[in-house]
Amino acid sequence: MRFGYAIVYVPDVVQAVDFYERAFGLARAFVHESEDFAQLDTGGTALAFTSHRLGAQAVPIPYTALDPSTPPAGLEFTFITDDVAGGFARAIAAGASAVAEPHHTPWGQVVSYVRDPHGVLVGIASPVTGP
């Protein structure tokens, strides 16, 4: 097996894709004509978005919709960059909410955190360099 894609269930797929393009410089790989599903090109694994309408049809059990006014779900998407401060500023300018400004970690990375407009926790980090 291989990890194919992560899907975020959102009220407006095109709006979500637009945010990720502006905030993180990603490109649209596919947007279905119904606007209920889209994928962004992120490299080897796609980041996808599905509307709540399609999610309710596809997932056989109820799920909890994301809510930016509540603590984030226990997951994170992380984008790797050599310019964490610039990536953080770009995400904030695009409408992300600041969680943690860029800072150094004990394991040698510079990391920062934002939440997207739907409440997804997003890390912006430098590459990991050695042990």
Side-chain angles (χ1 to χ4, degrees):
M1 277 194 217
R2 66 178 179 82
F3 188 56
Y5 42 86
I7 301 176
V8 181
Y9 294 83
V10 296
D12 186 320
V13 169
V14 173
Q15 183 182 51
V17 167
D18 179 61
F19 168 78
Y20 276 80
E21 287 176 321
R22 290 182 293 109
F24 306 109
L26 303 177
R28 295 175 195 218
F30 172 77
V31 178
H32 188 268
E33 64 189 30
S34 69
E35 297 185 346
D36 281 327
F37 181 80
Q39 287 185 349
L40 291 167
D41 181 7
T42 61
T45 301
L47 176 57
F49 298 90
T50 296
S51 69
H52 288 302
R53 183 173 54 128
L54 182 58
Q57 293 172 4
V59 179
I61 59 170
Y63 61 86
T64 302
L66 295 168
D67 182 348
S69 69
T70 63
L75 64 93
E76 160 192 342
F77 298 139
T78 302
F79 294 106
I80 303 299
T81 179
D82 291 325
D83 181 11
V84 175
F88 180 81
R90 179 180 181 165
I92 298 301
S97 300
V99 174
E101 294 203 10
H103 59 280
H104 292 273
T105 66
W107 53 91
Q109 279 184 296
V110 175
V111 300
S112 65
Y113 294 95
V114 299
R115 288 182 75 185
D116 80 5
H118 301 100
V120 175
L121 183 62
V122 179
I124 303 164
S126 64
V128 175
T129 56

